[in-house]
Amino acid sequence: MVNKIIQENVIGTYSNKDTLKYYEKVGLWISEKILFKKYFKKRNVKFLDMGCGGGRTTIPLVKMGFNVFAFDITPAMVKLTKKNLEKSGLKAKVEIGDAINIRYNSNSFDYILFSFNGIEAIPGRNNRLKTLQEIYRVLKPKGIFIFTTNTQKYFKGRRKLFFLKEALKYYFSKLFRLNNKYSRINDFEYGDCFLNFKPAMFMHFSKPERVKKDLEKIGFNLIFSEFRDIIEKRKTPNLRKDYFYVCEKK
Ligand SMILES: C[S@@+](CC[C@H](N)C(=O)[O-])C[C@H]1O[C@@H](n2cnc3c(N)ncnc32)[C@H](O)[C@@H]1O
């Protein structure tokens, strides 16, 4: 269901010229290289690259020898992935799709990736939960799913107040029945916010402990989890934002 907030504050933001320019760049993070080597060992198997953006991960995955299916909710991003594939002379099945309702049959994929906090771009706690359930459904038993979330811990000191301010804006908008982007969030969760993009970008910042409980309830076996900077053995403060989860379908 593409509602107004998804249309404007997800697809709208990711279709922005500057954002598209940023996502032209292809290549895996150091942490992704380390984890993919360890957990995506089989080759020639079906791989689903969700929220593929401009194909940053899609292209390396095809090069690694997977049979890649990629999708994104933002048409301009799908176009960019196709352009990047064509430039590299590579092939993958790329289309417009919604992570909340994955259009593939149950038990279809050996491996699934939802990289660079893509799940956090989905407005509504129930939608994010539905996404995880959908991933569980389309993953084969013993299949591996890797994803990252933002973390609230990244915001330290006075910046911590940011989430509180965003929560107050939400409750104020609901209370006074304002018609704005905050009141359009159906099931607000602390950590939901709008980032300073044009148009404003919806984003959630998770608490990893809560995500782990959600994964467990859905049935995933969490086999590894860690902050990106720790995996990469780098002290870059920005990397503290991203938190990796490696999950197996029981
Ligand atoms: C932070 S970008 C990451 C892009 C790419 N995975 C990367 O690592 O460069 C998140 C992507 O998720 C996509 N996205 C957001 N909500 C989605 C949804 N419900 N279904 C599919 N893709 C979605 C956005 O359009 C965007 O391209």
Side-chain angles (χ1 to χ4, degrees):
M1 182 197 59
V2 177
N3 56 27
K4 198 159 184 214
I5 185 170
I6 294 184
Q7 197 62 55
E8 279 186 19
N9 305 101
V10 180
I11 299 175
T13 318
Y14 282 107
S15 306
N16 173 307
K17 201 165 61 63
D18 296 333
T19 312
L20 286 168
K21 186 103 203 106
Y22 176 83
Y23 282 99
E24 262 177 17
K25 220 173 135 224
V26 165
L28 297 180
W29 296 348
I30 296 171
S31 39
E32 289 170 335
K33 284 185 188 163
I34 294 169
L35 296 180
F36 294 4
K37 195 171 166 205
K38 185 159 182 197
Y39 296 104
F40 294 147
K41 282 203 173 121
K42 295 188 269 180
R43 288 296 177 270
N44 268 319
V45 293
K46 279 176 81 177
F47 197 119
L48 183 62
D49 188 12
M50 303 181 34
C52 59
R56 182 185 68 80
T57 53
T58 318
I59 277 102
L61 291 170
V62 177
K63 284 186 181 162
M64 284 167 79
F66 299 112
N67 178 11
V68 180
F69 295 69
F71 73 83
D72 199 289
I73 202 163
T74 307
M77 285 291 185
V78 170
K79 217 168 139 188
L80 189 55
T81 297
K82 286 185 176 169
K83 196 175 111 187
N84 268 333
L85 277 164
E86 209 177 290
K87 253 202 291 187
S88 318
L90 299 169
K91 283 198 164 44
K93 184 166 171 44
V94 189
E95 58 192 8
I96 298 168
D98 188 353
I100 306 166
N101 289 296
I102 303 178
R103 70 163 204 85
Y104 292 106
N105 292 337
S106 303
N107 307 320
S108 290
F109 294 95
D110 299 84
Y111 298 139
I112 300 182
L113 174 71
F114 204 172
S115 63
F116 199 175
N117 313 330
I119 193 163
E120 305 281 63
I122 298 176
R125 167 154 171 82
N126 289 331
N127 285 335
R128 289 189 291 276
L129 280 176
K130 172 89 191 316
T131 298
L132 291 176
Q133 284 159 353
E134 277 290 87
I135 293 166
Y136 191 85
R137 179 182 67 77
V138 299
L139 194 61
K140 285 183 187 170
K142 297 284 167 207
I144 300 288
F145 164 48
I146 297 184
F147 73 113
T148 58
T149 62
N150 298 307
T151 60
Q152 288 178 20
K153 273 194 185 144
Y154 171 66
F155 286 82
K156 292 220 167 71
R158 278 202 297 164
R159 290 177 75 205
K160 256 187 167 171
L161 287 178
F162 175 60
F163 294 121
L164 186 63
K165 282 189 209 155
E166 291 292 287
L168 288 174
K169 284 182 200 168
Y170 166 79
Y171 289 114
F172 184 86
S173 304
K174 281 284 188 203
L175 188 67
F176 292 100
R177 296 170 190 252
L178 304 181
N179 182 13
N180 63 19
K181 55 185 187 292
Y182 291 96
S183 60
R184 273 176 221 131
I185 304 177
N186 284 335
D187 41 358
F188 179 88
E189 189 183 11
Y190 192 82
D192 282 356
C193 60
F194 287 96
L195 301 178
N196 198 10
F197 283 78
K198 276 192 181 141
M201 178 187 273
F202 172 85
M203 196 49 67
H204 180 69
F205 283 71
S206 285
K207 283 196 177 124
E209 291 320 311
R210 187 166 162 98
V211 177
K212 286 176 193 175
K213 278 193 191 137
D214 291 340
L215 289 168
E216 197 185 316
K217 264 192 227 150
I218 290 165
F220 281 112
N221 184 15
L222 181 67
I223 47 184
F224 175 80
S225 60
E226 193 48 276
F227 283 101
R228 177 179 171 192
D229 59 330
I230 295 178
I231 301 171
E232 301 197 2
K233 296 192 174 70
R234 291 203 286 167
K235 286 215 166 83
T236 320
N238 270 355
L239 304 188
R240 185 47 40 144
K241 189 170 76 59
D242 311 311
Y243 193 86
F244 273 90
Y245 309 78
V246 179
C247 320
E248 185 190 51
K249 178 167 173 175
K250 283 178 193 161

